[in-house]
Amino acid sequence: MALNVYDHDEYRPPVWKSYLYQLQQEAPHPRRLTCTCEVDNRPKYYGREYHGMVSREEADQLLSVAEGSYLIRESQRQPGTYTLALRFGNQTKNFRLYHDGKHFVGEKRFESIHDLVTDGLITLYIETKAAEYIAKMTINPIYEHIGYTTLNKEPTLKKHLPVCKEVPDGPAPQGERVDEEKGVHTFRGPHWCEYCANFMWGLIAQGVKCADCGLNVHKQCSKMVPNDCKPDLKHVKKVYSCDLTTLVKAHNSKRPMVVDMCIQEIESRGVQSEGLYRISGFSDLIEDVKLAFDRDGEKADISVNVYEDINIITGALKLYFRDLPIPLITYEAYPRFMEAAKITDPDKRLEAHHEGLKLLPPAHCETLCYLMAHLKRVTQNDKDNLMNAENLGIVFGPTLMRAPDLDAMTALNDIRYQRQVVETLIKNEDILF
């Protein structure tokens, strides 16, 4: 059975495709070719990669040393204009280079030449190796299966951004600016398109992010998505494994009902149970709770009459957070929280956590706030339940946040900082939220 064939009455979590991610990992790395002599009138925003007024032939000879090599030269045909010469595919490619506070050759703007070249090499490599694959990306979309409305009308086409093209030394038009209203977005860490399930490649401005529902898609996929992206309840087939923002919009609620109902049930029974959240409940019964929410939604019965062991309910809540396709502390906010955990000064560390919270989508922030207030109440009974903020941090750190980097060693090294982040959020819940 093909991965993208679905029964209309059955929801299945999307299978994210790794082919383009693998290609990005294989792309050539930039190699700056430094100029060994002093060059007169070098622009202040260029470094030793600037070689002055050299010909295309000279640049080609200099760059033949390695794939990914690059230099900047002043055009002989148009003095006062600058060209980025880049070695790719055993050829030297020349791009008109601009600077307006940031460096650009097309619609993307970069803080450094190194970043511009890195992104350019990724794009060139992927579009060379996978041109046919990219052209067919939109054929089998997963969009209608992940909980967003599919409208029975022609979608309004969204403007495509211009493609960076190799240029001659003569005059060329200025690069077109990104239209911010189109939602062009820079994603921190690996992200996959929620229309076609393929990796969103590049260093910056990899795709489009909807300001209303948080949908992340390639720019070329965005023209296929209806403008009215409010999730339709009839398409939200599950509670678990459904995007958090999609779920709360579909149910017109502040937080996922599973979070509210589990926490209310736990607190109604009392939070004095020893090892609360640390002790695991019977896995088959936790799965029963999950199925009950998926089947019955807010009508699911998780009362003590059905599930006597409180650890079943705590286990179901933890499973909900583990199953989120985008973690409660999102991939975009993850690096900021990791940096915050490493700050030694308490006041600065707290401020850094506050900045990290600002990066969360509203539904994620509201849910995190509600959860942290609950966990704070759990710690106030730690003499009975033996669960202080540190212990809860150990339990919830890897549950609420996952490293965007797919490297296993990096994820392993981050675990202690994940614990510290959750511990800080619990202890300072009344200040941070």
Side-chain angles (χ1 to χ4, degrees), residues 23 32 56 61 81 83 94 105 177 185 188 209 225 253 273 283 298 319 327 331 340:
L23 286 183
R32 184 175 75 154
R56 281 188 171 221
Q61 187 173 3
T81 63
T83 299
N94 295 276
V105 296
R177 292 185 177 276
H185 189 76
R188 305 299 179 189
K209 185 181 184 73
V225 179
S253 60
S273 178
S283 60
E298 59 190 15
L319 179 61
Y331 293 122

Side-chain angles (χ1 to χ4, degrees), residues 211-284:
D212 293 323
C213 68
L215 182 75
N216 304 321
V217 293
H218 292 111
K219 284 177 285 189
Q220 73 185 71
C221 292
S222 69
K223 68 179 183 177
M224 310 297 293
V225 179
N227 280 344
D228 180 7
C229 57
K230 181 181 177 182
D232 188 335
L233 191 55
K234 69 182 179 183
H235 292 296
V236 180
K237 301 293 187 181
K238 296 276 187 175
V239 171
Y240 281 70
S241 302
C242 179
D243 174 70
L244 190 150
T245 299
T246 300
L247 187 67
V248 299
K249 278 183 171 285
H251 289 271
N252 194 27
S253 60
K254 294 173 65 176
R255 297 175 298 272
M257 90 284 283
V258 63
V259 176
D260 281 5
M261 290 176 63
C262 284
I263 287 178
Q264 289 164 13
E265 181 65 28
I266 292 163
E267 295 196 353
S268 71
R269 301 189 193 187
V271 292
Q272 292 79 28
S273 178
E274 184 176 330
L276 192 69
Y277 286 111
R278 179 177 57 79
I279 297 175
S280 299
F282 189 47
S283 60
D284 284 357

